[in-house]
Amino acid sequence: MGTLLLTAGAFRVAPLQGEMTLSFLGRTADRYGLTVRSLLSSVTEVAGRQGVVGALQGDSEVFLNAAARDRVSALCRVPQVDLRRALPAWTREEPLGPSKERPTARLHNGVETVAAWGPACPGCVAARTGRVAPARVYLAAHQPVCPRHRYWLMGVPGSGGRVVGLAGCPEVVHAREDHRRLLRRSPVAGSAFEVAEAVTAWWWAQKWPEESLWPARLCATVPEGEEPGRWRVLARGLVTYPETVAVAKMLVDQTMRRRITTQVRALRGHLPFCLGDLPVLVSELARCLRRPWLADRLTSCMDGPLFAWAHQCSKAAVVPDGDGQRLLWKVHPAHRPRPLADELAERLQEAGGGEAARAPLPKRRRGHSRQADEAFEAGLTRARAYAAARGHLATRADTLQDGFPLGAWMTNQRMLRLGMPAWRSAALRALDPYWDTPWPTLWQRTYHQARCHVAEQGPLDARGGFPGTGLSLGEWLYLQCTRYPDLHPEQQRLLARLGIDAAAARDARPRRRSQRAGEQEALAHARAWASEHGSLAGVRVGTVHEDYPLGRWLSDRRGQMGRGVLSPDRAEALARIDPWWRPPWHLSWQRSYEHARQQLQRAGGGELVAGFPLMDRPAQEWLRIQQRRYRLLLPGQHDLLHQLGLKPETAIAEAPASTASASVAPVRAPGDPQNDEEGAPAVRGLPAVAQHRPLGVLRLGQRPDHRAGFERALEHARAWADVHGHLAVPRDTRQNHFALGMWLFSQRNRAKQRARQGEPASPHLGQLAAIDPWWNPPWDLHWQRNYYRARDCMRAGRGADTMGGLPVGKDALGIWVKRQCTLYDSLHPDQQHLLAAIGITLEAARARVGPRDSRRLTTTPRFDTDVAHAHSYAARHGHLAAHVGEQHEGFPIGRWLAEHRQRARKRNGASPQSRVLADLDPWWNPPWPMRWQYAYHHTRTHPDTPRATRWITTQRQAWPLLHPGQQQLLANLGISMGRQL
């Protein structure tokens, strides 16, 4: 049939300019009295087989390969060059069939593959072809209007389109001429029209009651018999076309963009918070669209395509960059008008009843993601709970809400705000109108603190220096007053709600008083405390005297005295109040002394009687300890005890002989860092430490009522060791339903804590050492478990080579053994002794790895030179927690220490370099993150800053999760679970 049709063709069918290929084939088929499907089958038929792929619909397009195009050209008697010039999709794609030479046609449907199209004007088709036949053409943005015949050419999905008369809408025809002139005048007019189309589509969805022109135009164009709801969906582009052209003209206007730039400069370089911050844009839109009411509607707009364009225009004015023009005309997918196919399907879903109402929405949601919507709803639920509890969404980046990372989620939403769908932005704005601001979120959080203060204590008094506010909040408020003219207008409006307007900001006084006045007030409180209690020894870190933080102030002065940075005048002023305000011995000794002195005063004074019967039990115990250790005390302590009546000859003579040789804790030297505050372990014998317990129990390290439990745990440990030959037990191990792993873990922690505090090992732990001498090794327990695996494997004779009996396989055991051989020189001597017991000696290790791979990590002259800087840095700062970018006398001490930390963490044992650095600072390479160490030293040196206060609160809350070493460091500062610095 196809051959007969081609040979018998006698009609010439000329294509229309811009016509769709399938439309042209349809007109050709009509001349031959065929359907389009029959014509395609005939064109692609070879040996009775047809090469047509795809479904044929009303708005489909067809793509032909070269063989099929040759047949169509011969059929319509039009040269290929004319068809290529008239039909845009003629050579767009080369569909492949079973053979390249075989004619093939492929049908495509939908807006993803078929460009914007519409019906051809019937009058223009009749004038061009002499026949009245339906045709479809590709339409550019300015081509839906036929000015000659006054038609709107509307592409309707699933049909051949619709032609709408414009007799009642002359403004649409005039807008087409304005659109053509705009395209000729501006190179960005096409992109501007896309932005304007998104803007008018967004306004169309608002359904503002003040709008009267669009409903009238909609009624004037509705065809007879058309359902109004469906026509509102179809006629959106027609009704909004004049306003879209007007908005595009305004957006490409260089004068308007210069005026916006001037407006941004008036904002002191701030980006707009809403369109009301750019009144020139709002007023010009209302004027050119002849809608005065539009200005009020747009003033509070904080999202949508127009706000995104204005934001990008303002950003380009503040920070010009090369991508400014590209981003200026970018329309985010969420702002693009939805395709008519999707809107019609949704309209059918809403209008249908019965089964149609219960059917799911169409799968096509271009520019959207159902998974993203579900994730947003999950985050919105947490945000709603957070806002209900705190009244805002100005979260920190690390904020958690019910285990959900709300802070990170809010950060992502702020980053995506300009491209966010309107319903998401409205949902967040309903929780907090200021959820995303052009100023920092930290400013917004502090503002909410000030708002809560005003709600609880009344209006702020800027002229009086903000009395009643905290130091940090008062300083922040005064800082806003000093920067008031440079703040964003919306920030000024927020401050006005707190009672800080331009006049109040101009007359504001600083929150902080002069340093001299503050020092005099602190000394006055110290004198009052000393006159009431007799000394300053009882002032602890948390002591508050008449609402003044006397403890924090005095702790800071003691720390400055220990570091040698306290001025002599201030030290002398404190010494006049109490000569022993910062003794060279531990403060706990001084407090116990004051307690004993007060006990003696209550008893009426006089001489001390043997046995101290007039004292309470803690004072008696403390005085007995001073008798025993009298020779170890400092001269100043001798003088103070002499004032109590405890003289040298009396103390030595009355010391109990049975306890004369008892072990006592050494007196700390004045330069000991643990001597600065209550954070160090208390001296034995103090009232707060003794707790009425016998000294024998304290030395033993365990309570008698716990001895039975210890013996039972010891039986489980012996049973485990009898089977496995060691006590390197993982933490989650259970032995006969007993948590042996956790028990051994706690015993190791207690032993290490006593070692860090310089205390002797508990005697009862010797029973564990009798079971396994390496139950608590100084190296990682993971190494010890691997060692026992290697020992058992090598004793069983598995995995040995012929060069020394060492495993060489690529399994975990062989890799571990090779690593020990490679790092043999840097291992602990006891580790080397253990390895030698299973045949891994120095000679065997060198033979195993070879001379090329062996690495001896010894100190080098370069390290000796560099470590001198570390000595100097540690002597100056008291630690080696230097930041990465920090330098010391021109030497990059921070980067140097970071490199050695990285090397140390890659090794199993401690290298010689690590041991040298550990002598300077035991925590130079802590097992916790370095940022914690930085914060710790900042708090130690600046305890009264807001940052330190927040950090201390966080550590107290997370105390059970901290490393024992972290807890010990915090205890050195006087911080514990129940006590704050």
Side-chain angles (χ1 to χ4, degrees):
M1 178 180 175
T3 306
L4 293 176
L5 182 62
L6 291 175
T7 57
F11 299 105
R12 184 182 188 276
V13 182
L16 299 174
Q17 187 63 37
E19 188 175 8
M20 299 178 68
T21 305
L22 190 63
S23 173
F24 171 68
L25 294 180
R27 293 196 297 110
T28 304
D30 184 60
R31 293 296 300 274
Y32 285 96
L34 301 174
T35 62
V36 176
R37 187 74 187 190
S38 300
L39 180 65
L40 287 174
S41 300
S42 301
V43 169
T44 60
E45 182 181 356
V46 175
R49 299 181 62 184
Q50 301 159 1
V52 182
V53 181
L56 180 62
Q57 298 180 7
D59 53 355
S60 299
E61 176 61 302
V62 65
F63 300 106
L64 307 172
N65 66 355
R69 291 198 297 269
D70 292 337
R71 288 192 172 189
V72 171
S73 177
L75 180 65
C76 65
R77 295 178 176 263
V78 178
Q80 285 267 14
V81 62
D82 295 336
L83 293 174
R84 188 182 304 112
R85 186 184 304 114
L87 304 178
W90 182 250
T91 58
R92 173 181 162 185
E93 184 178 339
E94 288 284 343
L96 298 179
S99 174
K100 293 184 178 180
E101 293 77 14
R102 180 174 176 175
T104 305
R106 183 178 297 275
L107 292 166
H108 288 268
N109 306 289
V111 296
E112 290 87 354
T113 55
V114 181
W117 60 272
C121 174
C124 296
V125 172
R128 177 72 174 84
T129 64
R131 295 171 58 89
V132 178
R136 291 181 292 119
V137 294
Y138 290 105
L139 297 176
H142 67 288
Q143 293 175 334
V145 179
C146 178
R148 178 183 300 175
H149 301 97
R150 293 181 177 268
Y151 285 137
W152 177 268
L153 310 176
M154 179 184 297
V156 180
S159 68
R162 176 173 291 179
V163 179
V164 182
L166 299 177
C169 302
E171 64 274 15
V172 177
V173 180
H174 297 326
R176 195 260 188 185
E177 297 301 323
D178 294 340
H179 196 178
R180 290 190 62 184
R181 285 194 295 268
L182 180 63
L183 291 172
R184 289 195 300 265
R185 186 173 67 248
S186 175
V188 296
S191 301
F193 185 82
E194 292 183 5
V195 176
E197 196 173 26
V199 171
T200 54
W202 184 78
W203 293 348
W204 176 266
Q206 305 306 310
K207 300 180 182 179
W208 287 322
E210 298 90 346
E211 180 60 60
S212 59
L213 295 179
W214 284 352
R217 196 176 299 157
L218 186 67
C219 294
T221 57
V222 59
E224 184 178 355
E226 181 64 65
E227 195 269 322
R230 185 171 184 270
W231 181 246
R232 176 177 172 82
V233 174
L234 293 175
R236 181 191 65 204
L238 164 61
V239 174
T240 61
Y241 182 71
E243 286 74 18
T244 302
V245 175
V247 172
K249 289 172 60 178
M250 194 201 68
L251 295 182
V252 301
D253 189 3
Q254 293 287 348
T255 303
M256 170 54 61
R257 279 187 272 171
R258 283 195 293 269
R259 293 174 63 186
I260 292 177
T261 301
T262 304
Q263 193 78 54
V264 173
R265 291 172 182 167
L267 293 174
R268 306 280 184 175
H270 294 287
L271 295 175
F273 174 69
C274 59
L275 287 181
D277 294 333
L278 300 175
V280 61
L281 174 62
V282 175
S283 60
E284 183 63 22
L285 273 174
R287 184 195 63 80
C288 72
L289 297 179
R290 298 182 179 88
R291 289 169 171 81
W293 52 267
L294 189 60
D296 296 334
R297 287 288 185 178
L298 295 181
T299 297
S300 59
C301 178
M302 292 183 287
D303 51 26
L306 182 61
F307 179 82
W309 182 88
H311 184 277
Q312 187 57 43
C313 188
S314 304
K315 186 176 180 180
V318 175
V319 185
D321 56 10
D323 294 335
Q325 288 297 319
R326 180 181 60 82
L327 297 177
L328 183 63
W329 305 115
K330 177 183 178 181
V331 181
H332 295 275
H335 297 157
R336 293 183 181 275
R338 292 189 65 186
L340 287 179
D342 293 354
E343 294 201 12
L344 287 175
E346 187 173 345
R347 170 66 187 171
L348 180 63
Q349 182 76 18
E350 295 174 355
E355 294 299 328
R358 292 191 295 270
L361 289 175
K363 293 184 178 179
R364 295 185 301 171
R365 299 187 68 202
R366 303 176 186 92
H368 301 272
S369 168
R370 286 189 179 140
Q371 289 80 4
D373 291 348
E374 293 171 358
F376 179 83
E377 289 291 350
L380 187 65
T381 302
R382 271 60 171 222
R384 190 176 292 110
Y386 184 91
R390 295 168 177 80
H392 63 86
L393 289 179
T395 60
R396 296 170 56 95
D398 56 353
T399 299
L400 296 177
Q401 179 68 28
D402 300 332
F404 179 80
L406 181 62
W409 184 81
M410 285 299 303
T411 301
N412 292 337
Q413 302 309 309
R414 296 185 185 103
M415 293 176 60
L416 302 174
R417 177 198 178 188
L418 293 181
M420 182 179 294
W423 69 272
R424 293 189 186 180
S425 179
L428 290 171
R429 193 165 57 251
L431 300 179
D432 181 6
Y434 297 92
W435 72 274
D436 182 32
T437 56
W439 52 86
T441 309
L442 176 61
W443 191 98
Q444 198 67 16
R445 283 199 299 272
T446 313
Y447 166 78
H448 285 292
Q449 295 178 11
R451 188 186 65 174
C452 294
H453 175 85
V454 171
E456 295 174 358
Q457 303 187 20
L460 298 170
D461 183 10
R463 296 177 178 84
F466 306 100
T469 61
L471 182 61
S472 60
L473 180 59
E475 288 292 322
W476 182 84
L477 289 169
Y478 178 70
L479 182 64
Q480 306 314 306
C481 293
T482 59
R483 299 177 178 177
Y484 191 86
D486 296 329
L487 295 178
H488 193 283
E490 194 65 28
Q491 289 177 293
Q492 296 177 358
R493 284 189 285 269
L494 288 175
L495 291 176
R497 299 180 185 178
L498 304 178
I500 302 177
D501 53 9
R506 187 171 52 253
D507 300 336
R509 293 292 180 268
R511 168 68 174 81
R512 189 189 297 271
R513 295 169 299 170
S514 66
Q515 190 175 11
R516 182 179 181 84
E519 192 73 15
Q520 293 300 324
E521 180 186 6
L523 289 173
H525 285 283
R527 291 191 193 94
W529 176 278
S531 62
E532 181 180 354
H533 299 85
S535 69
L536 295 178
V539 179
R540 298 180 180 271
V541 175
T543 301
V544 177
H545 181 259
E546 297 180 359
D547 297 330
Y548 183 82
L550 178 62
R552 184 184 301 175
W553 175 82
L554 190 59
S555 175
D556 185 37
R557 295 300 176 269
R558 287 168 176 159
Q560 292 177 358
M561 186 70 178
R563 296 190 300 272
V565 296
L566 186 66
S567 65
D569 295 339
R570 294 182 180 179
E572 183 180 356
L574 284 168
R576 287 195 294 267
I577 299 174
D578 180 7
W580 302 108
W581 69 276
R582 201 271 182 186
W585 46 84
H586 204 279
L587 274 172
S588 56
W589 190 96
Q590 194 68 19
R591 289 174 186 142
S592 299
Y593 166 80
E594 290 296 332
H595 176 74
R597 185 179 63 80
Q598 293 173 5
Q599 289 286 313
L600 186 62
Q601 289 179 354
R602 292 192 185 99
E607 296 291 334
L608 287 174
V609 183
F612 316 112
L614 301 180
M615 305 278 188
D616 60 4
R617 186 173 179 179
Q620 293 175 2
E621 189 69 33
W622 182 79
L623 287 170
R624 292 191 188 101
I625 292 175
Q626 306 316 307
Q627 285 182 319
R628 292 195 299 268
R629 58 183 302 188
Y630 192 86
R631 294 183 182 277
L632 302 177
L633 299 179
L634 297 175
Q637 293 172 303
H638 292 163
D639 296 339
L640 291 175
L641 292 175
H642 181 73
Q643 295 177 13
L644 293 180
L646 192 65
K647 300 178 182 179
E649 57 277 8
T650 305
I652 297 173
E654 295 182 358
S658 60
T659 60
S661 61
S663 61
V664 294
V667 178
R668 293 179 175 87
D672 194 335
Q674 295 185 349
N675 191 31
D676 293 339
E677 196 39 79
E678 327 45 348
V683 181
R684 295 188 184 91
L686 302 184
V689 178
Q691 299 179 358
H692 312 294
R693 292 185 295 180
L695 291 179
V697 174
L698 288 176
R699 285 194 295 271
L700 180 61
Q702 66 174 137
R703 290 167 46 182
D705 55 341
H706 287 175
R707 185 68 190 182
F710 180 82
E711 292 294 343
R712 286 194 298 271
L714 206 61
E715 293 177 2
H716 289 287
R718 291 193 185 97
W720 173 274
D722 290 342
V723 176
H724 300 87
H726 61 85
L727 288 181
V729 179
R731 195 181 304 183
D732 57 350
T733 300
R734 302 185 69 86
Q735 172 71 17
N736 294 333
H737 305 291
F738 175 72
L740 178 63
M742 284 303 302
W743 182 77
L744 286 171
F745 175 74
S746 64
Q747 299 303 314
R748 294 187 188 97
N749 277 348
R750 291 173 185 172
K752 293 174 182 177
Q753 186 174 6
R754 292 177 65 88
R756 284 192 296 268
Q757 295 174 355
E759 300 177 2
S762 298
H764 70 284
L765 297 181
Q767 301 179 53
L768 286 172
I771 300 174
D772 180 5
W774 302 106
W775 75 278
N776 185 25
W779 47 83
D780 187 19
L781 199 65
H782 184 68
W783 188 96
Q784 196 69 14
R785 284 196 288 269
N786 283 332
Y787 167 77
Y788 287 126
R789 293 191 188 100
R791 182 195 64 182
D792 297 341
C793 180
M794 296 173 69
R795 286 179 178 177
R798 299 191 303 269
D801 62 4
T802 59
M803 294 181 60
L806 302 182
V808 295
K810 295 185 178 179
D811 56 352
L813 178 60
I815 295 174
W816 183 84
V817 169
K818 181 176 181 181
R819 182 170 180 80
Q820 306 317 306
C821 294
T822 305
L823 303 176
Y824 190 88
D825 291 332
S826 60
L827 295 179
H828 193 281
D830 291 334
Q831 288 176 299
Q832 296 177 353
H833 177 75
L834 288 173
L835 291 175
I838 61 175
I840 305 178
T841 61
L842 177 60
E843 294 75 12
R846 289 178 177 175
R848 173 69 178 81
V849 300
R852 190 169 185 177
D853 294 335
S854 60
R855 290 174 287 177
R856 299 184 57 86
L857 302 178
T858 57
T859 56
T860 61
R862 174 64 183 276
F863 177 80
D864 295 337
T865 304
D866 295 344
V867 81
H869 292 280
H871 272 285
S872 177
Y873 185 90
R876 178 179 299 180
H877 300 279
H879 61 83
L880 288 180
H883 291 272
V884 176
E886 191 171 352
Q887 293 193 356
H888 176 70
E889 297 177 358
F891 177 73
I893 183 71
R895 181 166 54 83
W896 182 79
L897 286 170
E899 293 175 355
H900 280 276
R901 291 190 191 101
Q902 187 175 8
R903 295 174 186 173
R905 289 165 185 164
K906 293 181 179 179
R907 303 174 62 89
N908 278 340
S911 64
Q913 295 93 328
S914 300
R915 298 190 187 100
V916 173
L917 294 175
D919 292 339
L920 300 179
D921 180 6
W923 303 111
W924 77 278
N925 184 26
W928 49 83
M930 282 302 299
R931 60 177 178 273
W932 191 95
Q933 201 71 4
Y934 300 148
Y936 165 78
H937 287 295
H938 177 271
T939 304
R940 182 176 62 85
T941 56
H942 303 85
D944 55 353
T945 60
R947 172 185 168 187
T949 303
R950 291 194 302 268
W951 187 80
I952 290 171
T953 303
T954 303
Q955 304 312 307
R956 294 179 66 244
Q957 294 173 350
W959 185 273
L961 305 178
L962 296 180
H963 190 278
Q966 292 174 298
Q967 295 177 354
Q968 177 60 36
L969 289 175
L970 293 174
N972 293 342
L973 298 181
I975 304 170
S976 64
M977 288 187 64
R979 188 171 63 197
Q980 183 173 344
L981 186 65

